[in-house]
Amino acid sequence: MGHTMALLPPFIRVSRASRRTRNAAAPHSAAGLPTDDEVLLDVPDDRLGPALVAAGLGAYAPAAQLMAHTRERAEWEYRDRYAIRLASFAHSRSEWFEEWRAAAPRDPDVLLVAAQLAVDRAWRSPARAEQLREVSPLITAAAQSDVRDPVPWRIALDHARGARAGHKYFGELWEAAVRRAPHHYGCHVAAKRYLAESWHGSHRECFDFADRAAQDAPAGSLVQALPARAAFAYLADGCGPEVPRERLDAAADRAITLSARFPSADPWPAEIRNVLTCVLVRLGRRDDALAQLRLIGPYATSFPWSRLSDDPLGHFLAVREEVRSGPSERPPWHPGMGHGERARPTDH
């Protein structure tokens, strides 16, 4: 049993020993929330979970089948999310992926995960710009392997941000991405990150872009949550004079409407709901935050809490407890109120 546990992916082995034992089951139940011990971090959905477990045991076939399925059915949002998670797992446990790549070096799914993995590694390198230049051919190969797929273009947008590419080149990448999938959430998040104040733009540019995208997107599109991500970036960066409170509330309201379209306690919209909860807490909207926490159920996500703490799960639980137990003594939000979070280059 010990050897098997060592092979399993991190989401299955979330440490509970490090959490303080709380005698709070009754209050959490009364509030419609799971107990702390029932909350897990970054739980995959029912399709990705078995692929990650198999990869942890050294088998790549389930991951290959899953990615082929997303490509054949043009499930681009799922494909994007799965590529990120598989590449992240391959970063720490690469044997299964190297075996897959050796067996099918020209497979579009292998090329996609390889491009994501290479960009992730380059981002972590102190020589980021140089490393990113070297991985460009991998992104090109992934894009050429299936011309319908927008996900390599999302990777290219992230790559361009890290390489500090100019607006003209970035615009060309953006046009290529939206030609393939006009409302692809991952590409929109990548573009919003590029426009962030800490990179190539400003909070106002982020909001303008996010609002236009949400207005143009279908009601059930994940892009409807993009303004809330812009609000989170603004609040986490310490606010400022650029964005009025009304615009922040409108962004939160739009995301609340989107959240209501998904089932409760569902891992698919979990990150959107975690971001929205953080925004609502910062805006002092406790009742709305509590409603989102009920919808989140046991599904905490690293983002946005990793932007605020080295212990994202612990931070989520602390915020949840503060919301559950009632209004805090924290002063109300106002423009220019900074909170001292740590800046991370891949956040927002």
Side-chain angles (χ1 to χ4, degrees), residues 192-193 195-199 201-204 206 229-242 282 307-308 333 336-345 347-348:
K192 190 207 72 65
R193 284 172 169 164
L195 294 172
E197 186 171 82
S198 55
W199 288 96
S202 67
H203 290 301
R204 187 175 294 279
C206 275
R229 287 192 73 126
F232 169 75
Y234 174 73
L235 293 166
D237 282 350
C239 307
E242 293 184 79
R282 286 296 175 85
R307 176 71 163 82
L308 314 175
W333 175 90
M337 182 177 175
H339 300 278
E341 281 80 36
R342 302 164 305 131
R344 296 183 179 216
D347 285 335
H348 301 166

Side-chain angles (χ1 to χ4, degrees), residues 277-320:
T277 298
C278 187
V279 170
L280 291 167
V281 168
R282 286 296 175 85
L283 295 178
R285 295 173 56 173
R286 175 186 173 272
D287 290 344
D288 289 330
L290 182 58
Q292 291 305 310
L293 287 167
R294 292 184 180 121
L295 292 173
I296 288 170
Y299 297 123
T301 57
S302 290
F303 186 82
W305 313 109
S306 60
R307 176 71 163 82
L308 314 175
S309 170
D310 287 325
D311 177 14
L313 180 56
H315 194 82
F316 169 81
L317 293 174
V319 169
R320 194 178 73 141

Side-chain angles (χ1 to χ4, degrees), residues 140-206:
T140 300
Q144 291 176 344
S145 68
D146 189 333
V147 296
R148 305 169 304 148
D149 188 356
V151 183
W153 297 93
R154 192 271 304 155
I155 297 173
L157 292 168
D158 284 337
H159 175 274
R161 175 169 55 96
R164 297 197 174 273
H167 283 264
K168 182 177 185 298
Y169 176 67
F170 191 87
E172 292 170 357
L173 295 177
W174 172 247
E175 289 177 7
V178 296
R179 278 201 305 271
R180 287 158 175 80
H183 307 298
H184 184 258
Y185 179 63
C187 288
H188 280 79
V189 170
K192 190 207 72 65
R193 284 172 169 164
Y194 180 89
L195 294 172
E197 186 171 82
S198 55
W199 288 96
H200 302 274
S202 67
H203 290 301
R204 187 175 294 279
E205 284 183 88
C206 275

Side-chain angles (χ1 to χ4, degrees), residues 3-345:
H3 293 297
T4 302
M5 286 297 289
L7 291 170
L8 294 180
F11 70 86
I12 290 179
R13 295 185 288 110
V14 174
S15 173
R16 293 180 180 179
S18 62
R19 302 184 199 173
R20 289 194 309 248
T21 302
R22 300 179 189 232
N23 297 317
H28 281 87
S29 177
L33 302 172
T35 64
D36 284 3
D37 283 347
E38 293 174 311
V39 178
L40 298 174
L41 189 69
D42 296 331
V43 175
D45 65 24
D46 291 340
R47 294 199 293 175
L48 179 61
L52 288 174
V53 172
L57 297 171
Y60 68 83
Q65 293 165 4
L66 175 64
M67 293 302 289
H69 184 87
T70 63
R71 176 167 44 87
E72 291 160 2
R73 299 201 175 193
E75 294 178 344
W76 305 130
E77 300 290 4
Y78 284 98
R79 182 173 179 78
D80 196 359
R81 188 173 295 191
Y82 296 161
I84 291 171
R85 292 294 298 271
L86 290 170
S88 177
F89 191 65
H91 181 76
S92 58
R93 292 291 304 275
S94 62
E95 298 88 351
W96 65 276
F97 179 67
E98 294 304 332
E99 186 178 345
W100 182 16
R101 182 153 58 177
R106 294 183 177 84
D107 182 83
D109 309 316
V110 168
L111 292 171
L112 181 67
V113 177
Q116 181 67 59
L117 176 59
V119 169
D120 289 349
R121 285 173 172 165
W123 267 99
R124 295 181 176 98
S125 170
R128 179 191 301 155
E130 180 181 348
Q131 291 287 324
L132 285 171
R133 283 194 295 272
E134 293 177 1
V135 305
S136 292
L138 293 176
I139 302 173
T140 300
Q144 291 176 344
S145 68
D146 189 333
V147 296
R148 305 169 304 148
D149 188 356
V151 183
W153 297 93
R154 192 271 304 155
I155 297 173
L157 292 168
D158 284 337
H159 175 274
R161 175 169 55 96
R164 297 197 174 273
H167 283 264
K168 182 177 185 298
Y169 176 67
F170 191 87
E172 292 170 357
L173 295 177
W174 172 247
E175 289 177 7
V178 296
R179 278 201 305 271
R180 287 158 175 80
H183 307 298
H184 184 258
Y185 179 63
C187 288
H188 280 79
V189 170
K192 190 207 72 65
R193 284 172 169 164
Y194 180 89
L195 294 172
E197 186 171 82
S198 55
W199 288 96
H200 302 274
S202 67
H203 290 301
R204 187 175 294 279
E205 284 183 88
C206 275
F207 259 100
D208 289 346
F209 170 77
D211 283 342
R212 286 194 304 269
Q215 289 164 9
D216 292 342
S221 169
L222 297 179
V223 175
Q224 295 294 334
L226 202 64
R229 287 192 73 126
F232 169 75
Y234 174 73
L235 293 166
D237 282 350
C239 307
E242 293 184 79
V243 182
R245 169 66 190 247
E246 293 76 14
R247 197 169 192 183
L248 298 170
D249 280 321
D253 291 340
R254 185 184 285 274
I256 288 172
T257 299
L258 175 66
S259 176
R261 290 178 168 270
F262 296 103
S264 62
D266 183 351
W268 176 252
E271 184 180 271
I272 289 170
R273 285 171 171 161
N274 275 251
V275 172
L276 174 57
T277 298
C278 187
V279 170
L280 291 167
V281 168
R282 286 296 175 85
L283 295 178
R285 295 173 56 173
R286 175 186 173 272
D287 290 344
D288 289 330
L290 182 58
Q292 291 305 310
L293 287 167
R294 292 184 180 121
L295 292 173
I296 288 170
Y299 297 123
T301 57
S302 290
F303 186 82
W305 313 109
S306 60
R307 176 71 163 82
L308 314 175
S309 170
D310 287 325
D311 177 14
L313 180 56
H315 194 82
F316 169 81
L317 293 174
V319 169
R320 194 178 73 141
E321 177 61 21
E322 181 178 314
V323 172
R324 184 201 64 78
S325 60
S328 71
E329 296 179 0
R330 180 181 297 171
W333 175 90
H334 59 83
M337 182 177 175
H339 300 278
E341 281 80 36
R342 302 164 305 131
R344 296 183 179 216

